Amino acid sequence: MTNRRHDEPDAMEILCVEESPPDCGVVVFGASGDLTRRKLLPALFNLHQRRLMPESYYVLGYARTDYSDQQFRDLVGQALRESQPQAEPDQIQNFLQRCHYQTGDYKDLAAYEGLSQRVSSLDRTHATHGRTLFYLSTPPSLYQAVVSRLFQVGLTSQEEKTGGWRRVVIEKPIGHDLLSARKLEAGLGKVLSEDQIYRIDHYLGKETVQNIMVLRFANAIFEPIWNRQFIDHVQITAAESIGVGSRAGYYDGSGLLRDMFQNHMLQLLTLVAMEPPCSFAADCVRDEKIKVLRSMRPFPGGEELGQWIVRGQYAPGTVDGQRVAGYRQEEEVSEQSVTETFAAAKVLVDNWRWQGVPFYLRSGKRLPRRLTEIAIVFRQVPHSVFTPLLAEDFLPNTLVLNVQPEEGAHLSLQAKRPGPKLCMGTLNMHFNYKEAFGGRVPEAYERLLLDCMLGDQTLFIRTDTVEKSWQLLTPVLEQWRKSPVDEGNCRLHAYPAGSWGPQAAADLLARDGRRWRI
């Protein structure tokens, strides 16, 4: 921890607290897959470089592909050199020495008995004292089988007296509707306790997302105005310029609402709207987040649904000056597909703080650019003293939290411009993480993997949150499934690739006299 005195000129007070986890092993299922190569291994290596991995640890990859330890290390080394071209060879070599591999099927009990023996051997070699993190980088359809087999061979048992623990990390999607999510959660609950399950949402590991609570609860200037008296509305946008690409097979059976709203979008909303937690402890934070979801007004049924949520699918268009195909022309996508690649919704949170303040959520593929941001739009001034200018002539103050591609924030204010006595305009005050703090901004998976090893579930999803988010969205999915896609308020709107979505999305705000910020 570093402190600077308040009376130092131009001093920035820096308060840093970071722990290194206890010695442990990390077992990655799906070790030959894309997520492991692109995200998990580089994240673990970055923690190694930052000296935030345990003093003694090992990484054990598990997959069906038949690799030796050395072949796996060669693949890991290649992935690290691609992602970290400036990394020192000695650092990479030191990390590779801790990497091991086990070949096995995901459903074969005998393979798990071999895995159990390997984990026990590595546990003794690296003195990890029965502390093991299992990361399931596999298709969700395998989650139940993997966890059940781990239980059957005793790899979910925890030796609490000696400080041993076993934790399991699972990726989204957690089910594809309320019924399937309940079934999965019930299966996990039979063999694991809630404190052993880490449901990961990589958005929650991003610095700007973590900064939402710090911004609100560590600064006296924001919390008093963070309510319906001062905030007009909130916009949350998660846009991608890319299409579905190699994910078409998965995506066509899922769609945007399942892929983005059920997890990322609702999680961002809860962080913006939650009440102050009693402390920064995991369950205190997650208690407040679930209260927001419970306060959300359910989407209406019937013809009224289209006034609150719209769906779209991208047609051929132009992105970054390049002509691109429509969704139905993508490989592995049916020409008759009715899967949505865009969704926009108006959400109301019926509680004391937010009554009457709409939250507008928007996400889609093949939009003009990659962008994720949260815009807090404040109310306009009630009266203008600057005659002949009227109050409605002034743009409202807006606080924008940029989640990606560059993490940071900016605040727009009204200010006098040089020149005539009455000359006003918008002043934008920018904050960029890299420019303000220097160095490399840690990847989201670094934060989340470190927290898994530390046993901190603050940034992970609790089972009641999974249940409630599906309760809110499953009725919408069911109505979309049953409704004609070419008529009525549930229609599937086509939008040109490279646009900001269908006109119906703009109409959600226009009916309230508002418009999307971008």
Side-chain angles (χ1 to χ4, degrees), residues 402-414:
N402 304 110
V403 178
Q404 60 184 17
E406 291 190 357
E407 300 193 56
H410 72 261
L411 177 65
S412 66
L413 306 170
Q414 292 302 305

Side-chain angles (χ1 to χ4, degrees), residues 31 62 68 88 189 202 204 219 234 244 279 287 309 362 380 382-383 398 422 439 442:
Y62 183 98
S68 66
E88 296 180 6
H202 73 273
L204 299 184
N219 296 287
V234 177
V244 291
S279 77
D287 285 347
I309 186 168
R362 172 180 61 166
Q380 290 184 307
H383 172 70
T398 304
L422 189 57

Side-chain angles (χ1 to χ4, degrees), residues 155-169:
L155 283 175
T156 60
S157 301
Q158 304 190 101
E159 296 293 334
E160 296 181 2
K161 291 183 179 179
T162 59
W165 47 254
R166 297 285 168 67
R167 297 169 187 152
V168 176
V169 185

